[in-house]
Amino acid sequence: AKDVKSQATTALSQVNNIQSAISSQDFDAAAKDASTLQQAAASMNESLSSPIWDIASKFPVIGEDVTGVQTIASVLADASDNAIVPLTQSLSPTPPSACVNSDGSLNITAISTLLGTIQSSAPAMQRCADQLNALPTFHIEQLQKMISPAQEKVAGINATFQQANTFAPIIGSILGANGNRTYLLAAQNTAEIRASGGFPGSVGTVSIDGGVLELGDFTKVYDMMAEDTPAQCNITSEENALFYPWYTQYSWDNSFNPDYPRVASIWAAAYEEKSGNPVDGVISITPSMVQDLLAATGNSFTLSDGTYIDGTNATEVLQHDLYWKYLSSGTDMADGNDIADSLFSEAASYAFDAALENMNATSLTKLTSVLMDGLNDRRVMIWLSNASEQQCIEDMGYSGAMTAASQKQPTLGVFINFWAGSKLGWWLGMDTQISAPVTGNDGSRTYHVTTTLKNFMTSQEAAQGGGYIVSDNDSALGDADPFLYFYAPAGGSISDVTASNGATLGTATYQGLDVTFTNQVSDTTVLPKPNNPLPVETTVTYTYTVTLPQGVEGDLQLATTPTLTKYHTES
């Protein structure tokens, strides 16, 4: 047992050494440490496979721990032989630095080689993660304290392997290995909050040909998309029931729909109708990504009006300060909205230019990290026009899809739309808390959920903000009347919905999902307004029950509209 403990200590220390070596880009050292890990894991696995340990595994209680330790040894041997050693051996001849050419273009061959190695190792890593995750709790406390961090570490490593595994088959095509690719970049303005992210106020293009990236100028959406939703998009009765013909008639207002692939396909069609040029996909970003990019790259810049922006203030400047400067009461700027939109576009161009200019391995790693963080919470979403490539994006969970067919795990959707033009999204707080499940006699699982909305705006701000910022459409200044949507998980249901402000709610369906949403109280032939008041300096709570019947597997997940709550409360 002491020998095994020593071998285990050596093996686990080598895992840490490998991670440190890779982080410092010392890939020869990583390969050497991986070889040491492989030897220690093989030795430990051999020791624990002996007859005496097999006999010990039959003992009551303690035998379960022996079996668990044998599993860990087997997992370490499997992971080192079939994943870690092959990866570290490939990093020496093809390090991440090889992924960027001297001229700043992407080396598609090197990227594909690295991803291919990870792809071939992905099954082994998934197998190891599954085995560790299935281990019962150890009776010996010291063993449990050792295995819990190892389970978390392997789960994190495996997630990276599986992401790369999904990307590997399509990465070459996405990066233009087979010819030029052009994508729309839609900056969804969270201050004008919409279910899919926000109003797409600024839109640009990025072209990639053989790894060479060229960023087009960001400009106002009205110059990039046809105003009316193209006829071939065939707006459905489901969409009109949930999002109203007033909004679905305009191409850019389809962002009322949280189902991003549907929204993006409409934007692509509207862009083609306006410009005559098709695109290969649409990438959505929210303004907070500008701040994250600047923070990651250490870049800063000054806008043409003298406003300074860096990785600490970009979100507040773009989502609040510029609007207050040019649109609040007393500014007397008839063209203030155009100025603010222009500066927003300028900032987006600066941020992406800074990220893409003089590309090297370090900046590519930082850019990838920032984008991956955004993909995890809908601040970045990707839609590709090629159906098989889009399926890969959907398999990774990065498409922003909200349909029954797209769900890999049961997912509760909580989305919000502000019905009238304003910049009130800056003052919106939204939070959803989900209880632990209660399992019924029939095998169903019940979750009690609370969604809280808060209007941070003060009465003084409402008086000073000006109609374009605080909205003067049939409400007191600063009062919000949001459309709120609760999407039931695929196969599940939502019930017992109550709202502390007396909001009236209706039900509908969307692509196989049941939807509960706040009803409108005005004629749908004009601008619809929901019966869901959220006055200045108030909080509204919605409580409801989500039920998953027996047979629906997986933990309940949450998908929600990204908000600016974090940035507002920090300012």
Side-chain angles (χ1 to χ4, degrees):
K2 289 181 179 179
D3 288 342
V4 170
K5 180 180 179 182
S6 175
Q7 292 161 352
T9 300
T10 298
L12 292 175
S13 67
Q14 291 308 313
V15 172
N16 292 329
N17 291 343
I18 291 166
Q19 287 185 307
S20 298
I22 290 176
S23 298
S24 61
Q25 300 190 38
D26 188 349
F27 302 115
D28 289 336
K32 183 178 178 181
D33 291 331
S35 178
T36 303
L37 166 64
Q38 185 179 35
Q39 294 170 12
S43 179
M44 183 169 63
N45 192 38
E46 182 179 358
S47 297
L48 288 168
S49 298
S50 67
I52 193 169
W53 283 106
D54 288 338
I55 293 172
S57 70
K58 308 300 182 185
F59 290 177
V61 183
I62 197 67
E64 294 179 8
D65 285 0
V66 171
T67 300
V69 172
Q70 289 177 316
T71 299
I72 294 170
S74 174
V75 164
L76 274 175
D78 189 5
S80 60
D81 288 345
N82 299 307
I84 298 175
V85 167
L87 175 61
T88 55
Q89 288 178 342
S90 72
L91 284 170
S92 290
T94 313
S97 58
C99 294
V100 182
N101 297 315
S102 58
D103 61 359
S105 62
L106 300 177
N107 186 330
I108 299 175
T109 300
I111 293 173
S112 298
T113 298
L114 277 178
L115 288 180
T117 301
I118 296 176
Q119 183 183 23
S120 63
S121 305
M125 282 306 306
Q126 186 65 59
R127 183 169 62 244
C128 293
D130 290 343
Q131 289 177 305
L132 285 183
N133 190 53
L135 286 173
T137 301
F138 283 87
H139 298 89
I140 300 175
E141 185 178 353
Q142 288 177 313
L143 284 175
Q144 187 60 42
K145 287 182 177 179
M146 180 187 73
I147 189 58
S148 293
Q151 287 172 316
E152 293 179 8
K153 181 171 290 188
V154 170
I157 294 173
N158 179 56
T160 301
F161 270 78
Q162 302 313 318
Q163 288 169 346
N165 180 38
T166 310
F167 262 123
I170 63 173
I171 192 66
S173 297
I174 290 176
L175 296 179
N178 303 317
N180 181 61
R181 287 290 187 97
T182 299
Y183 305 101
L184 279 186
L185 288 176
Q188 296 205 65
N189 188 348
T190 317
E192 300 182 59
I193 199 161
R194 303 287 179 83
S196 70
F199 182 74
S202 296
V203 180
T205 59
V206 59
S207 296
I208 310 178
D209 192 354
V212 179
L213 287 80
E214 183 177 346
L215 188 67
D217 291 334
F218 277 83
T219 188
K220 292 183 295 184
V221 65
Y222 312 111
D223 298 328
M224 297 289 279
M225 296 183 195
E227 179 176 2
D228 292 332
T229 298
Q232 70 267 28
C233 295
N234 296 317
I235 296 297
T236 67
S237 58
E238 283 186 333
E239 290 168 329
N240 279 330
L242 281 167
F243 314 117
Y244 302 103
W246 176 273
Y247 300 107
T248 57
Q249 69 176 313
Y250 301 113
S251 61
W252 39 73
D253 282 341
N254 281 281
S255 56
F256 264 61
N257 186 344
D259 183 20
Y260 180 70
R262 172 60 166 161
V263 175
S265 66
I266 292 173
W267 288 349
Y271 174 78
E272 182 174 1
E273 187 170 298
K274 180 82 170 182
S275 68
N277 300 313
V279 291
D280 299 291
V282 184
I283 302 170
S284 163
I285 56 172
T286 61
S288 63
M289 294 303 299
V290 172
Q291 179 163 322
D292 291 350
L293 284 172
L294 294 175
T297 59
N299 290 308
S300 62
F301 52 86
T302 300
L303 296 175
S304 56
D305 74 335
T307 302
Y308 175 80
I309 291 181
D310 63 14
T312 67
N313 73 345
T315 302
E316 183 172 1
V317 168
L318 297 176
Q319 298 290 264
H320 174 269
D321 295 356
L322 289 179
Y323 297 126
W324 202 264
K325 181 176 181 179
Y326 293 108
L327 293 167
S328 61
S329 295
T331 56
D332 193 27
M333 297 288 291
D335 55 352
N337 189 50
D338 286 341
I339 294 173
D341 285 349
S342 176
L343 292 171
F344 186 100
S345 298
E346 190 179 322
S349 294
Y350 270 124
F352 278 91
D353 279 338
L356 298 178
E357 277 184 356
N358 304 314
M359 181 74 76
N360 55 41
T362 300
S363 60
L364 176 61
T365 300
K366 290 179 179 179
L367 176 61
T368 301
S369 177
V370 167
L371 293 177
M372 293 303 293
D373 285 344
L375 285 165
N376 288 324
D377 59 10
R378 294 178 65 97
R379 291 180 301 131
V380 177
M381 291 179 286
I382 301 173
W383 172 78
L384 301 174
S385 60
N386 181 286
S388 61
E389 293 175 1
Q390 175 62 18
Q391 187 60 54
C392 289
I393 300 298
E394 193 167 295
D395 289 343
M396 285 184 285
Y398 296 149
S399 70
M402 278 305 299
T403 66
S406 67
Q407 286 195 12
K408 308 305 176 187
Q409 292 194 74
T411 302
L412 166 67
V414 180
F415 303 102
I416 194 166
N417 286 310
F418 277 3
W419 71 286
S422 73
K423 308 299 179 185
L424 288 175
W426 171 256
W427 288 273
L428 171 69
M430 185 166 75
D431 177 68
T432 296
Q433 296 294 323
I434 303 174
S435 74
V438 176
T439 303
N441 294 331
D442 60 356
S444 64
R445 286 174 289 157
T446 299
Y447 300 81
H448 297 291
V449 187
T450 300
T451 294
T452 303
L453 299 185
K454 183 172 183 178
N455 189 336
F456 286 108
M457 177 167 277
T458 66
S459 298
Q460 182 179 8
E461 287 175 314
Q464 296 174 345
Y468 195 86
I469 293 177
V470 303
S471 179
D472 56 2
N473 287 283
D474 195 29
S475 298
L477 291 176
D479 288 4
D481 299 271
F483 278 111
L484 193 59
Y485 298 82
F486 303 118
Y487 279 59
S493 62
I494 291 175
S495 60
D496 305 322
V497 186
T498 61
S500 64
N501 63 350
T504 57
L505 299 112
T507 58
T509 59
Y510 181 83
Q511 294 290 303
L513 300 177
D514 291 338
V515 184
T516 300
F517 67 109
T518 45
N519 282 330
Q520 60 86 28
V521 295
S522 61
D523 188 341
T524 58
T525 60
V526 297
L527 189 63
K529 174 187 175 182
N531 178 27
N532 188 26
L534 182 61
V536 297
E537 302 180 46
T538 64
T539 299
V540 177
T541 58
Y542 308 80
T543 59
Y544 47 102
T545 300
V546 177
T547 302
L548 298 178
Q550 184 180 28
V552 177
E553 298 180 353
D555 296 329
L556 183 64
Q557 307 296 306
L558 175 66
T560 189
T561 305
T563 70
L564 299 168
T565 306
K566 166 187 172 183
Y567 302 94
H568 180 272
T569 55
E570 288 178 351
S571 65

